[in-house]
Amino acid sequence: MACVQVYLCSNPEDSVVERRLLRQRVFPRLREYCRRTYGVEFRVIDPYEAADPKYWPAQQERLQILEDCRKNSLGPFFVGFVGEQYGNANLPQQIEASEFQCVLQVCQRMGLRTDILERCYQRDENAIPPSFCMVNPTGHFEQAGVQQANPTEENNWCKVLPEVRRILHYVVDQCVQEGTLTHDKAQKYFHSALENDIRYAYENHSTEDIARCLCYVHKIIIPRKANGLSPEQQAQLHRLSQLRVNFLPSLVTSHKALVYCTTTKCNRLQGYTPEMRLNFAAGLSEQLHTDLKRLIDHAVSKERTVTVDESGQKDLCNIFSSLYKIEREEVKHVKSYLRGKNTRFPFILNGTPCSGKTVLLAHCASQASVWLKDLDPEIIVYFIDVNNSLRKLLKDICARVDSSSTSVNSIFQLKENFKRLLTSRSPSKNPLVLIIDGLDQLPKTDGELDLTCLPESLASNVKLLISSTSKRPAILATLKMFYPDSTLFYELQPVESKSCSQLMTTRLQESNRKITSGQQMYVNQAFKKCPVLLYMELLRRQAIHWNSEFEITENTLVQEVHNNIVLMFDDLEKKHGKALVSKALSYVTLARNGITAIELTDVLSCDDEVLACFLPPGDVPLTLRVPEVFVESLLLDLKGFLVLRNILGTQTLFWVNSHFPLVVCKRYLCSEETSQKINHVLSDYFSGIWANGKAKPLIINKDMEIPTSSDVPQNIYIDRQVPSQPWTFSPPFYSSTAMTPSARTYPNLRKLHLLSFHLFKSGRIEELGNQMISQEYLQAMLQAVQADELFLWLERTSQLVFPRELQLLHIILRSSACLLRNNPAFLPTVLQAKLLPFLSVFPTLGECVNLARPKGMLPKNEVYTVLPPIPSVPFTHCTLQESTASQVMQSAGSPCGTVVVVLENGAAWVCNGGIFEGFELTKSSNLKFTSVTSSGNIFLLSTHCSKLVLLDAGVNVQPQEIQSQHRENSENAILEGVLVSGDKIFVWWRGQNIVSVFVDREEHTQLHCTYEIICVSCSVDGDIIYCGQNEGSVTVFDWPNGKPLTTFTCLKDIPLIEIIRSEGDGMITCVDQAGNVFAWNLEIITEPVLVDEILCRTKEKVLNTDYKGDNILLICKRQQMQLIDIHQIGVRDQFNPPRGKKFKQAIMDQNSRFILALLCNCPFLLVWNCASGQCVLSLDTANCQASKLLKCGATYLAAITSVSVLIWDMDLIAASALAPKSGKRVEMVAFGSHGESCYSADGSELVWKWAISDGKVEGCFLHQGSVESMSVSGDGNYLVSIARGDIYVWDTNSGKNIHKISGSQAYKVLITSKGNSGVALSETGPSRVWKLQSGKRICSIHHHLRNAAISQESTFLLGLNSGKLLAVSLWSGNISKCFSCSNKSDVVVAFHSLLDHPNYVIVASASGTVYSWRLTEDTICRQFKLPDSSLCQPEIFSLSSDGGYAILSISESTINILDFSNSKLCSLRTEGPVPQPVVTVCVSGQYVVYTCFSSLVCHTMSCDLHEKPMLVVIRLTDGETVGRFYLCKNPSTLTMSEDLFVYVGFEDGSVGVYAVIDTKMGKTSWKEEGQSPTLLCPLDEQLIWSPLVNPNLTWVELPLQSF
């Protein structure tokens, strides 16, 4: 972020109260205002903030700070206070020799002491021109934390300075009078620091710069005589008057400078009292706050939007190229390479550390456009550092070359894109010059550094330059092997020592310094030993302080770069204090992507060891910070080594050379504990834990340097005045800036990029995990366009804490990435749709879904879920880079969710749940894997040369090769299996009769059986081994003794495939390939006894078995699955595949509740409920045919396809399988007026009752036949349904079937609004009206009415008959009113009564005429003719409750609406095609609700939200979208209540309820005390309400009798 950097100018003795009040009240407020309103920083540097004058900076340092503020500040940069004190003269630090000699001569003539002047100033021939310099110009400016070696000498020096000022005052005046000194030259002897600063800020600057300055003049009038003042004091008053009366007012006239003058008149006796000073200070604070705020607002409004260089590479290139000072021969080679043609290979530059590779390439990058000016090249430079990775490198370069590749994040795809960009660049495009510096610095975050991303040859218009250090010779050797025919390998030669000497001379002259010839001799010798430019610069900084008397010897100059950096740090510690220097350098070094100057001050203030150095004497203050000027002074001393780099729009400090952080780490960060403490403070700062006035405890220990002798409490609390750290900056409530809503929030990029990193580095893993599940954090990351960074952090954190929770969140966000990248505001919708239904599985994620709101604050306009339907089960789609060229051959899984696959080309890849990219198992180039198997978390891989590689997925270690003894036919041997028991590993191979036993991963022995070994089991201690063999026998070994104990046979010649041991009872169960089960008693192990057996009738082979240790064994064959109880030795249940399908594999979950089956030629997995025997779920396999299922412990399920690995969480599968859904398409949804429950019917015998507030199914109403119709009374107490012509009346509270009425012949039932009566509509007989509670019939209606409805006052039954609209009395059954069109050929096709106007009915005719019919008076009140009769579709026609709007018809993407109040026909353009033929559109009040498919084009393969419809709510009064909700499945029916609840039935039999919030209209269905929905347990018997066995009422129509 940009920074408002203000220099505060004042006379320190005259402004103590004012400056303290500003620091406490104004500056923190302005900083919060700037951060929250504009996302910019605010910083004030007060040179006199330290209480002790010895810490105040000298004049040159002050002016340098002021100049930096002018150059770098956004908006105002100077605030001056001019009071009643002018201040002492600021003595010049350097006086030219001729001038000083003149002063001495005059001083001697005047009889004044010259020895004092000669004591303070000493001749220095190294100055240009030769000058007299103050002996110790900073002697009285020593920094905090440094104890003076000789306090007495310091006190004497302070006494001498006033005398020097007095002497120079008289002498210089005399020189001016004599003409030996001009008036202008003499001013430097008289000006105070106040005037110097003010004149430097205002003089010789543009009007624009002067407009950025503020100055406040305070005149205090006290009637008094001016007697008793010394000549120096009178001169000071005169100069103060000139400053206030002449200089500043002239600026107002000429440049419209902002100068404010205040006059305070005081009583002669009381004078200027403390109360008056405090009142003035308070008024000044408010005025300054207002003025600065205005200037900041104006500056930000004029600030142009600039393109943000996220990685800061352009800034780096400018910085490094500016360091190019000595011509290098290699530049000619680079120039020749860039201008050359047909350069198929990259230019490789190699060199030693500090040889200047980076600077040379940066210089070439800056010159390339000049060298190739006729070709207009595209130049991209990338400087690699420790914060980079191969993924980030490739992604950034690809994005800069081709903006369309920004969404690609796969490392494999990035490599392919990178090669394509370098090899397939169109000849018509401008040349591409790509420079990659520091290839050797890439960290191994993506495995071993490989060069497969580099192309074998470059396109003709592509130039690639790469640099690497000679300390990594393996990289250079690999590059030479990769480009054996290239001659473009260059070694960067060292700089000549003579060039270093010449450059040093030039650099010293720039500072008006030189060195003597004797000093130069030793410098030349030093450069011969170390001709490095960095060494030259370090030596130059020492030489600046050498005077001509300073003696240099061979031992004076320190050799090597690192030693000189240490020497520089020593000098800094002496000047600024060890605590400040050590901690400041540590924070700069460890802060990710650097740190800003004001952030450095903040974290130093939060560091107890540093802040303790600034404790004032006396009482401990409530607020305290490290003064900004101390930090700025330190940064000035490091200028050139610490430079500003633009990262994400923020100017951060970073080391220009990598050797500085190396020295810092070695000197100050030598232990992991120290680094963690630094990262801990950074984490606290960016988390904002000590912001908003919260005091941080300052813990004092004996090692701290405290500059006060007073007793300080061991534990005190001090407000460090650090800023708040929200995830997103938004203006404070008092902000009045005129900004667009979209521009009023800014993501806190610094917090987003640094907090996660430093939490991780400080070991605060649980806090990092809690951050990952914060919706505010997720929203801010997406708003900051940092989705890829977010995914990487979710992936990394899931491996440390909350693994399954964060994996689920990662999967959900990645699967919705296309939507969220385009509009991050949809994040709450995505989380509610996909995550909320699974909160019962992972309640930790509740905060992620439910964003905390301030009490009483309504949410914004939106649609949110109240009763969430379960979406499809999220899964990790782990891609393999090489799977496109070579398919998966073998695979194995582990309980921790790790899957290892072996490809046909011999490569092995590792996949993990929640990680979407597999990584290749490292191996030597000539080693090929042939098979893989696993036991627990141990994977064992075999190779083509009979080697075994062991991988422990439970620990993060490299694969280990284990040696096995030679075996016959071992070439290309395939592993059959592995078994791990403690430190023992048992391994057997396909087609062989040997089991190898490994102890502590070394082969101990081999067990030999008679026949080929198929399966192996062992005892708990691993001493007894059971080997199942190919011909049906089992051999038992006591392997420690090396002998077999017994052998027994089940069925001869049928291979055994499973051996199950039962602990405690000595039982062993064997399963053979035909599915036969044998139970053996091995209590006496040498005498096995067959106890029982189950012989299979069919000879079909077993595909696989599965056993979970709960006595339930699953046997899967192609045509059947069986559940075997091995304790009772019996078949418990069996399952058949769907018609026309065959099983391929089946496994059970950990609790044996579900069977997950893989079918042949089926693109999904099926899940059976073991208890009910029903198929309750299907799992999507991403349109890929799975070849194998792997059970990864109790937690994960993996499906292996030919090109990828799919991994599910088993608990999510169980939650989805147990979710409330009927499995059939919902045809009807009904609800009561209170909205507490809703009811759904799917055409089966059940009607489901859903409790909306609890988010669960209360029960089901069972019918004796399929439900054809249902209706709910207005009060929700009664449910009336029809099944097989019988009418059921239910009490919804108790579930009791009150009446079962037969003989109705009804097809539909209606209930009056009060719920007293019902109407049973019949097409074959009379329709009947009856009392709901008693079942007593009221009347019969003999007229057949289509589309019948009850009027709102429950008086009439309205319906169509023969083209007319009839109103039949519900009391008599007779026709009371009749509506027919005026045109006899026209017929009524649709009608709708009005809820808010019960006497009116809206009628539509076939000709397109719409009428308003007043039912009570049988009159037509209004008539509206549609331009086209086809615009009205009778099956769609519906009205809002107030009659204001009517939905007439629906086309693919248009809803035609009639606005009755304005007599207008409107066409509402939907956001996508509305699904047909299902009608999912309704109108309620002022709102229309519809579902449609998104019209956006999805570019992400894993994004599934675009494939499903979304629910959209439109406000009809202005056409604005109130909200939208992305549905997770296809809807089948939809309705909306008057209280803005939307009820949606889905194709799979589930129901979703959604609430609409419209804060603009003051309408909402949101309840602050609402609870999160919970999942339903499996539907039990007690939840089903049974009907009456026999009808208790029968309706019989008696024949009419004549009298």
Side-chain angles (χ1 to χ4, degrees), residues 49 101 136 223 240 305 385 425 452 698 737 752 779 783 874 908 1064 1220 1259-1260 1279:
E49 189 172 350
Q101 293 292 346
N136 187 11
L240 178 64
T305 303
D385 58 25
R425 187 173 179 87
T452 57
L698 176 62
T737 55
L752 290 173
Q779 187 86 59
Q783 183 181 347
C1260 292
L1279 167 70

Side-chain angles (χ1 to χ4, degrees), residues 1341-1360:
I1341 300 174
H1342 293 274
H1343 302 279
H1344 300 300
L1345 303 178
R1346 292 186 298 108
N1347 303 335
I1350 298 175
S1351 63
Q1352 297 300 330
E1353 290 190 338
S1354 305
T1355 307
F1356 302 103
L1357 179 68
L1358 304 173
L1360 303 178

Side-chain angles (χ1 to χ4, degrees), residues 1029-1047:
Q1029 299 169 62
N1030 191 41
E1031 49 73 61
S1033 63
V1034 177
T1035 300
V1036 184
F1037 290 91
D1038 180 3
W1039 76 265
N1041 296 322
K1043 61 179 182 179
L1045 298 177
T1046 186
T1047 298

Side-chain angles (χ1 to χ4, degrees), residues 485-690:
D485 300 329
S486 174
T487 58
L488 299 173
F489 290 89
Y490 292 90
E491 180 81 19
L492 185 59
Q493 299 302 314
V495 178
E496 293 183 0
S497 60
K498 182 179 179 181
S499 299
C500 290
S501 298
Q502 292 173 349
L503 179 60
M504 181 169 172
T505 301
T506 303
R507 298 281 287 130
L508 284 172
Q509 290 174 352
E510 292 173 359
S511 303
N512 294 323
R513 301 290 297 174
K514 64 181 180 179
I515 56 178
T516 65
S517 58
Q519 294 167 345
Q520 184 70 54
M521 178 182 67
Y522 289 102
V523 168
N524 293 341
Q525 292 177 5
F527 286 148
K528 289 179 180 178
K529 297 178 182 179
C530 186
V532 175
L533 293 179
L534 178 58
Y535 178 73
M536 184 279 301
E537 181 61 24
L538 289 167
L539 199 56
R540 182 192 72 86
R541 298 211 176 195
Q542 298 175 36
I544 284 179
H545 303 290
W546 296 345
N547 59 28
S548 53
E549 303 297 325
F550 186 72
E551 185 177 353
I552 301 292
T553 66
E554 292 181 359
N555 300 325
T556 302
L557 300 183
V558 178
Q559 298 298 321
E560 297 184 352
V561 170
H562 280 208
N563 293 335
N564 276 271
I565 295 176
V566 170
L567 182 62
M568 184 182 75
F569 289 171
D570 287 337
D571 293 338
L572 291 175
E573 289 179 9
K574 293 176 184 177
K575 179 180 179 181
H576 302 280
K578 183 175 181 179
L580 180 67
V581 172
S582 63
K583 291 302 183 71
L585 299 185
S586 297
Y587 288 123
V588 169
T589 301
L590 291 187
R592 187 191 188 198
N593 294 330
I595 191 170
T596 66
I598 191 167
E599 288 172 350
L600 182 58
T601 306
D602 288 333
V603 294
L604 289 172
S605 300
C606 291
D607 192 301
D608 292 348
E609 183 181 350
V610 177
L611 194 67
C613 301
F614 296 90
L615 282 175
D619 296 334
V620 177
L622 297 177
T623 61
L624 183 65
R625 283 174 58 83
V626 174
E628 289 283 355
V629 68
F630 283 76
V631 178
E632 192 65 23
S633 178
L634 175 60
L635 296 179
L636 283 176
D637 289 338
L638 289 167
K639 196 169 187 179
F641 299 134
L642 270 181
V643 297
L644 290 175
R645 172 186 181 184
N646 194 315
I647 295 288
L648 293 168
T650 301
Q651 294 286 330
T652 61
L653 296 164
F654 90 107
W655 295 111
V656 74
N657 191 286
S658 61
H659 291 273
F660 284 92
L662 291 177
V663 176
V664 170
C665 291
K666 186 176 181 179
R667 182 179 177 92
Y668 302 119
L669 303 169
C670 51
S671 68
E672 183 66 25
E673 181 183 1
T674 305
S675 297
Q676 281 201 351
K677 287 181 179 178
I678 296 295
N679 283 294
H680 184 87
V681 176
L682 288 167
S683 300
D684 279 351
Y685 170 68
F686 285 106
S687 67
I689 188 175
W690 304 119

